[in-house]
Amino acid sequence: MIFEKNHYTPKRLLPHFLSTQISSKIKVDWYIYLYLLIFSLMKIKDSAKNTLEQNYSFKVNGYFFVIAMWLLSRLVIIVAMQVVAPLIYTSPVQPHWHPPYPLDFSPDFIPKPSWELFSHWDGKWYRKIALEGYNYVDDGKQYSIAFYPLFPLLIRGLMTFGLPFEVAGTLLSNLTFLGALLLVYSWTKERHGINAAKWVIAVMAWCPFSLYGTVIYTEGLFLFLTTAALRAFDNRQYVWAAFCGALASATRPTGITLLPTFIFVAWIERRSLSAYIAGLFVAMGILLFSVYCAISFGDPLAFIHVHKAWAQPSWWSIFTDAILVGKDSLIKVVMVFGGGYLLWHYRTKLNNVATIYGFCSLLMLIFSGALASINRYAYGIVSLSLALGLLFSKQQRWKYIVFI
């Protein structure tokens, strides 16, 4: 009766027991699955965190490498200029010059350690522009209108904070050169990996012509603006590419080569109308400078016409001197035509933007007639450094040439 009252007969107890066991098992399995799910999510989170930390570490270490290369190479150059150069007397007056000498150059000038050592040659012209503005008369003499306006304008802006010209110009050159190295490293790493990026930076930082990224010349600013424009166009950031491109064309003559570069790349890669507009906008910098020349001097091309006052060698004289192992001429030939060969050799490795920009810039240099400083202008073509860095990253036996 007790069994009947409580319904716990063996027949009824078995299903009750089984259902209880099954329910308990389901609950246990559910807890196990839930635990495994939480554990898996925690592992995924930890893995993602570790990956982000590793990527951040690689990124930070890469930037530290760039800064270290920039700092060490600048220290070597500064020591050479401020300690070694004053011990080696060289007159700034060329043998073929006749008085009165431009920019108050003196045959008996003796360099002394000071900020003033960073502002010789072109730096003197930029000082004149920053302090006095432009001047020009079409009389066959040298005038400051030959030098493009953005660089001295930025120096003038820094001088409003109370900095002397020499300090402001030197800071601008060095900091923009560092910015150029950081941009080049990031762009090269995206395209070719860390090893190639480090060798490109080594090429740019330790090349003897990187001297012009320390003194008051436009190399640092120009490399920064052209690299920013090229990278932005490569990533289809057309507003930034147009803006930096226009600033580059207001910095030095070869900045205008970004225009055909962007137009040609847009055509061969079938890009949108925005890419063509960005290319055309590059000319805004030089157009505004031309408008200024027209208003101030009545000659919209004064910055071109004035160059006839600067004596320039011919390609014939350069090749002849190079055959006779004239050091300066040989360097010009190697940098321009050797650089062209490297671009052609690595044309399938480099992206279209870098390759076409390199060829456009070299062609402009070759046919411009301004050959006296063509080796320095060639150094300012970032595509050549990219190609040489790729070469050194692949050729184990050649890479340490950069340090010689």
Side-chain angles (χ1 to χ4, degrees), residues 63-119:
Y63 289 145
F64 276 144
F65 171 81
V66 175
I67 294 171
M69 294 293 277
W70 168 79
L71 184 59
L72 289 173
S73 60
R74 297 314 92 188
L75 287 175
V76 170
I77 289 173
I78 291 172
V79 169
M81 291 185 63
Q82 297 292 337
V83 178
V84 179
L87 302 176
I88 305 173
Y89 171 73
T90 302
S91 174
V93 175
Q94 301 295 313
H96 61 275
W97 287 6
H98 300 284
Y101 302 120
L103 297 175
D104 300 323
F105 281 136
S106 173
D108 57 352
F109 169 78
I110 298 177
K112 297 178 181 179
S114 65
W115 284 97
E116 197 265 342
L117 285 181
F118 294 109
S119 64

Short mmCIF file of all heavy atoms in Angstrom, two decimals, residues 63-119:
data_model
loop_
_atom_site.label_atom_id
_atom_site.label_comp_id
_atom_site.label_asym_id
_atom_site.label_seq_id
_atom_site.Cartn_x
_atom_site.Cartn_y
_atom_site.Cartn_z
N TYR A 63 60.29 51.58 -36.06
CA TYR A 63 60.43 53.02 -35.99
C TYR A 63 61.65 53.42 -35.18
O TYR A 63 62.32 54.41 -35.49
CB TYR A 63 59.16 53.65 -35.40
CG TYR A 63 57.99 53.59 -36.33
CD1 TYR A 63 56.69 53.41 -35.86
CD2 TYR A 63 58.15 53.71 -37.72
CE1 TYR A 63 55.61 53.36 -36.72
CE2 TYR A 63 57.09 53.66 -38.58
CZ TYR A 63 55.81 53.48 -38.09
OH TYR A 63 54.75 53.43 -38.96
N PHE A 64 61.97 52.64 -34.13
CA PHE A 64 63.19 52.90 -33.39
C PHE A 64 64.42 52.71 -34.28
O PHE A 64 65.40 53.46 -34.18
CB PHE A 64 63.29 51.97 -32.17
CG PHE A 64 62.54 52.45 -30.97
CD1 PHE A 64 61.89 51.58 -30.12
CD2 PHE A 64 62.47 53.81 -30.68
CE1 PHE A 64 61.20 52.04 -29.01
CE2 PHE A 64 61.78 54.29 -29.58
CZ PHE A 64 61.14 53.39 -28.75
N PHE A 65 64.36 51.72 -35.16
CA PHE A 65 65.46 51.50 -36.10
C PHE A 65 65.64 52.71 -37.01
O PHE A 65 66.77 53.18 -37.23
CB PHE A 65 65.18 50.25 -36.94
CG PHE A 65 66.13 50.05 -38.08
CD1 PHE A 65 67.38 49.47 -37.88
CD2 PHE A 65 65.79 50.45 -39.37
CE1 PHE A 65 68.26 49.31 -38.94
CE2 PHE A 65 66.66 50.29 -40.43
CZ PHE A 65 67.90 49.71 -40.21
N VAL A 66 64.53 53.22 -37.53
CA VAL A 66 64.60 54.39 -38.42
C VAL A 66 65.18 55.58 -37.68
O VAL A 66 66.08 56.28 -38.19
CB VAL A 66 63.20 54.72 -38.98
CG1 VAL A 66 63.25 56.00 -39.80
CG2 VAL A 66 62.67 53.57 -39.82
N ILE A 67 64.68 55.84 -36.48
CA ILE A 67 65.16 56.98 -35.71
C ILE A 67 66.64 56.83 -35.37
O ILE A 67 67.41 57.79 -35.43
CB ILE A 67 64.32 57.14 -34.43
CG1 ILE A 67 62.88 57.53 -34.80
CG2 ILE A 67 64.92 58.21 -33.50
CD1 ILE A 67 61.91 57.51 -33.63
N ALA A 68 67.05 55.60 -35.03
CA ALA A 68 68.46 55.36 -34.69
C ALA A 68 69.35 55.59 -35.91
O ALA A 68 70.43 56.22 -35.79
CB ALA A 68 68.64 53.93 -34.17
N MET A 69 68.92 55.12 -37.09
CA MET A 69 69.71 55.32 -38.31
C MET A 69 69.81 56.80 -38.65
O MET A 69 70.87 57.30 -39.03
CB MET A 69 69.08 54.55 -39.48
CG MET A 69 69.12 53.05 -39.33
SD MET A 69 70.80 52.38 -39.41
CE MET A 69 71.02 52.26 -41.16
N TRP A 70 68.69 57.50 -38.49
CA TRP A 70 68.69 58.95 -38.74
C TRP A 70 69.61 59.66 -37.77
O TRP A 70 70.44 60.49 -38.17
CB TRP A 70 67.26 59.47 -38.61
CG TRP A 70 67.15 60.97 -38.57
CD1 TRP A 70 67.20 61.81 -39.64
CD2 TRP A 70 66.98 61.79 -37.41
NE1 TRP A 70 67.07 63.12 -39.21
CE2 TRP A 70 66.93 63.13 -37.85
CE3 TRP A 70 66.85 61.52 -36.05
CZ2 TRP A 70 66.76 64.20 -36.98
CZ3 TRP A 70 66.68 62.58 -35.17
CH2 TRP A 70 66.64 63.90 -35.64
N LEU A 71 69.50 59.34 -36.50
CA LEU A 71 70.27 60.05 -35.48
C LEU A 71 71.77 59.79 -35.64
O LEU A 71 72.58 60.74 -35.60
CB LEU A 71 69.81 59.62 -34.09
CG LEU A 71 70.45 60.34 -32.90
CD1 LEU A 71 70.19 61.84 -32.99
CD2 LEU A 71 69.93 59.77 -31.59
N LEU A 72 72.15 58.53 -35.84
CA LEU A 72 73.58 58.21 -35.98
C LEU A 72 74.18 58.85 -37.21
O LEU A 72 75.28 59.42 -37.17
CB LEU A 72 73.76 56.69 -36.02
CG LEU A 72 73.53 55.95 -34.70
CD1 LEU A 72 73.59 54.43 -34.93
CD2 LEU A 72 74.56 56.36 -33.66
N SER A 73 73.48 58.77 -38.34
CA SER A 73 74.01 59.35 -39.57
C SER A 73 74.09 60.87 -39.47
O SER A 73 75.04 61.49 -39.97
CB SER A 73 73.14 58.95 -40.77
OG SER A 73 71.80 59.39 -40.61
N ARG A 74 73.12 61.51 -38.79
CA ARG A 74 73.17 62.97 -38.64
C ARG A 74 74.33 63.37 -37.72
O ARG A 74 74.99 64.39 -37.95
CB ARG A 74 71.88 63.51 -38.04
CG ARG A 74 70.61 63.31 -38.86
CD ARG A 74 70.76 63.65 -40.30
NE ARG A 74 71.14 62.47 -41.09
CZ ARG A 74 71.50 62.49 -42.36
NH1 ARG A 74 71.58 63.62 -43.00
NH2 ARG A 74 71.81 61.37 -42.99
N LEU A 75 74.59 62.58 -36.67
CA LEU A 75 75.70 62.89 -35.79
C LEU A 75 77.03 62.83 -36.52
O LEU A 75 77.91 63.68 -36.32
CB LEU A 75 75.71 61.92 -34.60
CG LEU A 75 74.62 62.14 -33.54
CD1 LEU A 75 74.66 61.03 -32.50
CD2 LEU A 75 74.77 63.51 -32.88
N VAL A 76 77.19 61.83 -37.39
CA VAL A 76 78.42 61.71 -38.17
C VAL A 76 78.59 62.94 -39.06
O VAL A 76 79.69 63.52 -39.15
CB VAL A 76 78.40 60.43 -39.02
CG1 VAL A 76 79.55 60.41 -40.02
CG2 VAL A 76 78.47 59.19 -38.13
N ILE A 77 77.51 63.36 -39.72
CA ILE A 77 77.58 64.51 -40.61
C ILE A 77 77.86 65.79 -39.83
O ILE A 77 78.69 66.63 -40.25
CB ILE A 77 76.27 64.64 -41.41
CG1 ILE A 77 76.18 63.51 -42.44
CG2 ILE A 77 76.18 65.99 -42.12
CD1 ILE A 77 74.85 63.43 -43.16
N ILE A 78 77.20 65.96 -38.70
CA ILE A 78 77.40 67.17 -37.91
C ILE A 78 78.83 67.26 -37.38
O ILE A 78 79.46 68.33 -37.41
CB ILE A 78 76.38 67.22 -36.75
CG1 ILE A 78 74.98 67.46 -37.32
CG2 ILE A 78 76.74 68.32 -35.75
CD1 ILE A 78 73.87 67.33 -36.30
N VAL A 79 79.37 66.13 -36.92
CA VAL A 79 80.76 66.12 -36.45
C VAL A 79 81.70 66.46 -37.60
O VAL A 79 82.65 67.25 -37.45
CB VAL A 79 81.12 64.76 -35.83
CG1 VAL A 79 82.62 64.66 -35.59
CG2 VAL A 79 80.37 64.56 -34.53
N ALA A 80 81.44 65.90 -38.78
CA ALA A 80 82.28 66.17 -39.94
C ALA A 80 82.23 67.65 -40.32
O ALA A 80 83.25 68.26 -40.66
CB ALA A 80 81.84 65.31 -41.12
N MET A 81 81.05 68.25 -40.22
CA MET A 81 80.90 69.66 -40.60
C MET A 81 81.49 70.60 -39.56
O MET A 81 82.16 71.58 -39.90
CB MET A 81 79.42 69.99 -40.82
CG MET A 81 78.80 69.34 -42.03
SD MET A 81 77.10 69.90 -42.27
CE MET A 81 77.36 71.65 -42.57
N GLN A 82 81.21 70.31 -38.30
CA GLN A 82 81.59 71.26 -37.25
C GLN A 82 83.01 71.06 -36.72
O GLN A 82 83.58 71.98 -36.15
CB GLN A 82 80.59 71.14 -36.08
CG GLN A 82 79.17 71.49 -36.43
CD GLN A 82 78.99 72.97 -36.74
OE1 GLN A 82 79.75 73.82 -36.32
NE2 GLN A 82 77.94 73.28 -37.51
N VAL A 83 83.57 69.86 -36.92
CA VAL A 83 84.91 69.58 -36.39
C VAL A 83 85.93 69.43 -37.50
O VAL A 83 87.01 70.03 -37.47
CB VAL A 83 84.88 68.31 -35.51
CG1 VAL A 83 86.29 67.99 -35.00
CG2 VAL A 83 83.93 68.50 -34.34
N VAL A 84 85.60 68.61 -38.51
CA VAL A 84 86.57 68.30 -39.57
C VAL A 84 86.65 69.42 -40.60
O VAL A 84 87.74 69.85 -40.97
CB VAL A 84 86.22 66.97 -40.25
CG1 VAL A 84 87.22 66.67 -41.37
CG2 VAL A 84 86.20 65.83 -39.23
N ALA A 85 85.48 69.90 -41.07
CA ALA A 85 85.46 70.91 -42.14
C ALA A 85 86.26 72.16 -41.81
O ALA A 85 86.99 72.68 -42.67
CB ALA A 85 84.02 71.27 -42.49
N PRO A 86 86.16 72.72 -40.58
CA PRO A 86 86.96 73.92 -40.29
C PRO A 86 88.46 73.69 -40.37
O PRO A 86 89.22 74.66 -40.52
CB PRO A 86 86.54 74.26 -38.85
CG PRO A 86 85.17 73.71 -38.72
CD PRO A 86 85.20 72.43 -39.51
N LEU A 87 88.89 72.43 -40.30
CA LEU A 87 90.31 72.13 -40.40
C LEU A 87 90.78 72.05 -41.84
O LEU A 87 91.98 72.04 -42.12
CB LEU A 87 90.63 70.81 -39.69
CG LEU A 87 90.26 70.74 -38.20
CD1 LEU A 87 90.54 69.35 -37.65
CD2 LEU A 87 91.01 71.80 -37.42
N ILE A 88 89.82 71.97 -42.77
CA ILE A 88 90.15 71.86 -44.20
C ILE A 88 89.66 73.13 -44.89
O ILE A 88 88.48 73.30 -45.16
CB ILE A 88 89.49 70.62 -44.82
CG1 ILE A 88 89.87 69.36 -44.04
CG2 ILE A 88 89.89 70.49 -46.29
CD1 ILE A 88 89.13 68.13 -44.48
N TYR A 89 90.58 74.02 -45.19
CA TYR A 89 90.18 75.30 -45.77
C TYR A 89 89.89 75.13 -47.26
O TYR A 89 90.73 74.64 -48.03
CB TYR A 89 91.28 76.35 -45.58
CG TYR A 89 91.01 77.62 -46.36
CD1 TYR A 89 90.02 78.49 -45.94
CD2 TYR A 89 91.74 77.91 -47.51
CE1 TYR A 89 89.76 79.65 -46.65
CE2 TYR A 89 91.47 79.06 -48.22
CZ TYR A 89 90.48 79.93 -47.78
OH TYR A 89 90.22 81.08 -48.49
N THR A 90 88.68 75.55 -47.67
CA THR A 90 88.30 75.57 -49.08
C THR A 90 87.53 76.85 -49.35
O THR A 90 86.52 77.12 -48.71
CB THR A 90 87.41 74.35 -49.45
OG1 THR A 90 88.12 73.15 -49.15
CG2 THR A 90 87.06 74.36 -50.92
N SER A 91 88.00 77.62 -50.28
CA SER A 91 87.34 78.89 -50.58
C SER A 91 86.01 78.62 -51.29
O SER A 91 85.93 77.79 -52.19
CB SER A 91 88.22 79.75 -51.49
OG SER A 91 87.51 80.91 -51.89
N PRO A 92 84.94 79.31 -50.88
CA PRO A 92 83.64 79.14 -51.56
C PRO A 92 83.59 79.80 -52.92
O PRO A 92 82.65 79.58 -53.68
CB PRO A 92 82.66 79.80 -50.58
CG PRO A 92 83.48 80.84 -49.89
CD PRO A 92 84.86 80.25 -49.76
N VAL A 93 84.58 80.62 -53.23
CA VAL A 93 84.59 81.34 -54.50
C VAL A 93 85.22 80.47 -55.58
O VAL A 93 86.35 80.00 -55.44
CB VAL A 93 85.36 82.67 -54.37
CG1 VAL A 93 85.47 83.36 -55.72
CG2 VAL A 93 84.68 83.58 -53.35
N GLN A 94 84.46 80.22 -56.64
CA GLN A 94 84.94 79.38 -57.74
C GLN A 94 85.99 80.14 -58.57
O GLN A 94 85.94 81.38 -58.68
CB GLN A 94 83.77 78.97 -58.63
CG GLN A 94 82.69 78.19 -57.89
CD GLN A 94 83.20 76.86 -57.39
OE1 GLN A 94 83.85 76.13 -58.11
NE2 GLN A 94 82.93 76.55 -56.12
N PRO A 95 86.94 79.42 -59.17
CA PRO A 95 88.02 80.08 -59.94
C PRO A 95 87.52 80.96 -61.09
O PRO A 95 88.15 81.96 -61.42
CB PRO A 95 88.84 78.90 -60.46
CG PRO A 95 88.57 77.79 -59.50
CD PRO A 95 87.15 77.96 -59.07
N HIS A 96 86.39 80.57 -61.70
CA HIS A 96 85.91 81.31 -62.86
C HIS A 96 85.02 82.50 -62.48
O HIS A 96 84.53 83.21 -63.36
CB HIS A 96 85.12 80.36 -63.79
CG HIS A 96 83.90 79.75 -63.16
ND1 HIS A 96 83.97 78.61 -62.39
CD2 HIS A 96 82.60 80.12 -63.16
CE1 HIS A 96 82.76 78.28 -61.95
NE2 HIS A 96 81.91 79.19 -62.41
N TRP A 97 84.78 82.73 -61.18
CA TRP A 97 83.95 83.85 -60.75
C TRP A 97 84.72 85.18 -60.86
O TRP A 97 85.95 85.22 -60.73
CB TRP A 97 83.50 83.65 -59.32
CG TRP A 97 82.43 82.60 -59.14
CD1 TRP A 97 81.94 81.76 -60.09
CD2 TRP A 97 81.75 82.29 -57.92
NE1 TRP A 97 81.00 80.93 -59.56
CE2 TRP A 97 80.85 81.23 -58.22
CE3 TRP A 97 81.80 82.78 -56.62
CZ2 TRP A 97 80.02 80.67 -57.26
CZ3 TRP A 97 80.97 82.23 -55.66
CH2 TRP A 97 80.09 81.19 -55.98
N HIS A 98 83.96 86.24 -61.07
CA HIS A 98 84.54 87.59 -61.10
C HIS A 98 83.76 88.47 -60.12
O HIS A 98 82.54 88.33 -59.99
CB HIS A 98 84.45 88.18 -62.51
CG HIS A 98 85.18 87.37 -63.53
ND1 HIS A 98 86.56 87.37 -63.64
CD2 HIS A 98 84.72 86.51 -64.51
CE1 HIS A 98 86.92 86.56 -64.62
NE2 HIS A 98 85.83 86.03 -65.16
N PRO A 99 84.44 89.34 -59.42
CA PRO A 99 83.74 90.22 -58.48
C PRO A 99 82.81 91.19 -59.22
O PRO A 99 83.09 91.53 -60.38
CB PRO A 99 84.88 90.95 -57.77
CG PRO A 99 86.06 90.83 -58.68
CD PRO A 99 85.89 89.55 -59.43
N PRO A 100 81.73 91.60 -58.58
CA PRO A 100 81.32 91.29 -57.20
C PRO A 100 80.75 89.88 -57.09
O PRO A 100 79.98 89.45 -57.96
CB PRO A 100 80.25 92.34 -56.91
CG PRO A 100 79.67 92.66 -58.24
CD PRO A 100 80.79 92.56 -59.22
N TYR A 101 81.11 89.19 -56.00
CA TYR A 101 80.68 87.81 -55.81
C TYR A 101 79.25 87.76 -55.26
O TYR A 101 78.86 88.65 -54.49
CB TYR A 101 81.63 87.08 -54.85
CG TYR A 101 83.07 87.09 -55.33
CD1 TYR A 101 84.06 87.68 -54.56
CD2 TYR A 101 83.42 86.52 -56.54
CE1 TYR A 101 85.38 87.69 -54.99
CE2 TYR A 101 84.73 86.53 -56.98
CZ TYR A 101 85.71 87.12 -56.21
OH TYR A 101 87.01 87.14 -56.65
N PRO A 102 78.48 86.74 -55.64
CA PRO A 102 77.09 86.67 -55.18
C PRO A 102 77.02 86.38 -53.67
O PRO A 102 77.89 85.73 -53.10
CB PRO A 102 76.52 85.49 -55.99
CG PRO A 102 77.71 84.65 -56.34
CD PRO A 102 78.84 85.62 -56.52
N LEU A 103 75.97 86.90 -53.05
CA LEU A 103 75.67 86.63 -51.64
C LEU A 103 76.82 86.96 -50.70
O LEU A 103 77.04 86.29 -49.69
CB LEU A 103 75.25 85.16 -51.47
CG LEU A 103 73.97 84.76 -52.20
CD1 LEU A 103 73.74 83.27 -52.05
CD2 LEU A 103 72.77 85.54 -51.69
N ASP A 104 77.61 87.94 -51.07
CA ASP A 104 78.72 88.38 -50.21
C ASP A 104 79.76 87.30 -49.94
O ASP A 104 80.40 87.29 -48.89
CB ASP A 104 78.18 88.91 -48.87
CG ASP A 104 77.23 90.09 -49.06
OD1 ASP A 104 77.51 90.91 -49.96
OD2 ASP A 104 76.24 90.18 -48.33
N PHE A 105 79.91 86.38 -50.88
CA PHE A 105 80.97 85.38 -50.73
C PHE A 105 82.33 86.08 -50.74
O PHE A 105 82.54 87.05 -51.46
CB PHE A 105 80.93 84.35 -51.86
CG PHE A 105 79.86 83.30 -51.67
CD1 PHE A 105 79.06 82.92 -52.73
CD2 PHE A 105 79.68 82.69 -50.44
CE1 PHE A 105 78.09 81.95 -52.58
CE2 PHE A 105 78.71 81.72 -50.27
CZ PHE A 105 77.92 81.35 -51.34
N SER A 106 83.25 85.54 -49.96
CA SER A 106 84.57 86.13 -49.86
C SER A 106 85.64 85.07 -50.11
O SER A 106 85.54 83.96 -49.59
CB SER A 106 84.78 86.73 -48.46
OG SER A 106 86.10 87.18 -48.30
N PRO A 107 86.65 85.37 -50.92
CA PRO A 107 87.70 84.38 -51.21
C PRO A 107 88.46 83.94 -49.96
O PRO A 107 88.99 82.82 -49.93
CB PRO A 107 88.62 85.10 -52.20
CG PRO A 107 87.79 86.22 -52.75
CD PRO A 107 86.86 86.62 -51.67
N ASP A 108 88.52 84.78 -48.94
CA ASP A 108 89.29 84.45 -47.75
C ASP A 108 88.42 83.93 -46.61
O ASP A 108 88.80 83.98 -45.44
CB ASP A 108 90.08 85.67 -47.27
CG ASP A 108 89.17 86.86 -46.98
OD1 ASP A 108 87.97 86.78 -47.30
OD2 ASP A 108 89.69 87.86 -46.46
N PHE A 109 87.23 83.41 -46.95
CA PHE A 109 86.33 82.88 -45.92
C PHE A 109 86.95 81.65 -45.26
O PHE A 109 87.44 80.74 -45.93
CB PHE A 109 84.98 82.51 -46.53
CG PHE A 109 84.09 81.74 -45.60
CD1 PHE A 109 83.40 82.37 -44.59
CD2 PHE A 109 83.97 80.35 -45.72
CE1 PHE A 109 82.58 81.66 -43.72
CE2 PHE A 109 83.16 79.64 -44.87
CZ PHE A 109 82.47 80.29 -43.86
N ILE A 110 86.91 81.59 -43.94
CA ILE A 110 87.40 80.44 -43.18
C ILE A 110 86.25 79.93 -42.32
O ILE A 110 85.73 80.67 -41.47
CB ILE A 110 88.59 80.82 -42.28
CG1 ILE A 110 89.76 81.30 -43.15
CG2 ILE A 110 89.02 79.62 -41.43
CD1 ILE A 110 90.96 81.76 -42.34
N PRO A 111 85.79 78.67 -42.52
CA PRO A 111 84.65 78.16 -41.75
C PRO A 111 84.99 77.99 -40.28
O PRO A 111 86.09 77.58 -39.92
CB PRO A 111 84.37 76.80 -42.40
CG PRO A 111 85.65 76.40 -43.05
CD PRO A 111 86.32 77.68 -43.48
N LYS A 112 84.04 78.33 -39.43
CA LYS A 112 84.18 78.17 -37.98
C LYS A 112 82.96 77.43 -37.45
O LYS A 112 81.85 77.60 -37.97
CB LYS A 112 84.30 79.54 -37.31
CG LYS A 112 85.52 80.34 -37.72
CD LYS A 112 85.54 81.70 -37.04
CE LYS A 112 86.76 82.51 -37.48
NZ LYS A 112 86.79 83.86 -36.85
N PRO A 113 83.15 76.58 -36.42
CA PRO A 113 82.02 75.82 -35.88
C PRO A 113 80.90 76.75 -35.40
O PRO A 113 81.10 77.59 -34.53
CB PRO A 113 82.64 75.07 -34.69
CG PRO A 113 84.09 74.97 -35.02
CD PRO A 113 84.43 76.24 -35.76
N SER A 114 79.73 76.62 -36.02
CA SER A 114 78.58 77.45 -35.66
C SER A 114 77.37 76.96 -36.44
O SER A 114 77.47 76.14 -37.35
CB SER A 114 78.85 78.93 -35.98
OG SER A 114 78.97 79.11 -37.38
N TRP A 115 76.19 77.50 -36.09
CA TRP A 115 74.99 77.20 -36.84
C TRP A 115 75.11 77.69 -38.28
O TRP A 115 74.47 77.17 -39.19
CB TRP A 115 73.78 77.86 -36.18
CG TRP A 115 73.31 77.18 -34.94
CD1 TRP A 115 73.61 77.51 -33.66
CD2 TRP A 115 72.43 76.05 -34.87
NE1 TRP A 115 72.99 76.66 -32.79
CE2 TRP A 115 72.25 75.75 -33.51
CE3 TRP A 115 71.77 75.27 -35.82
CZ2 TRP A 115 71.44 74.70 -33.08
CZ3 TRP A 115 70.97 74.22 -35.39
CH2 TRP A 115 70.81 73.95 -34.04
N GLU A 116 75.92 78.70 -38.49
CA GLU A 116 76.05 79.31 -39.82
C GLU A 116 76.60 78.33 -40.85
O GLU A 116 76.34 78.47 -42.05
CB GLU A 116 76.96 80.54 -39.70
CG GLU A 116 76.88 81.50 -40.87
CD GLU A 116 77.96 81.24 -41.91
OE1 GLU A 116 78.94 80.55 -41.55
OE2 GLU A 116 77.82 81.71 -43.04
N LEU A 117 77.33 77.30 -40.40
CA LEU A 117 77.88 76.31 -41.34
C LEU A 117 76.78 75.52 -42.04
O LEU A 117 77.02 74.91 -43.08
CB LEU A 117 78.82 75.35 -40.61
CG LEU A 117 80.20 75.90 -40.22
CD1 LEU A 117 81.03 74.81 -39.54
CD2 LEU A 117 80.94 76.42 -41.44
N PHE A 118 75.57 75.49 -41.47
CA PHE A 118 74.47 74.75 -42.09
C PHE A 118 73.77 75.55 -43.19
O PHE A 118 72.87 75.03 -43.84
CB PHE A 118 73.44 74.36 -41.03
CG PHE A 118 73.94 73.38 -40.01
CD1 PHE A 118 74.16 73.79 -38.70
CD2 PHE A 118 74.20 72.07 -40.34
CE1 PHE A 118 74.61 72.89 -37.75
CE2 PHE A 118 74.65 71.16 -39.41
CZ PHE A 118 74.87 71.57 -38.09
N SER A 119 74.17 76.80 -43.39
CA SER A 119 73.40 77.65 -44.30
C SER A 119 74.23 78.20 -45.47
O SER A 119 74.00 79.31 -45.93
CB SER A 119 72.81 78.83 -43.52
OG SER A 119 73.83 79.66 -43.00
#
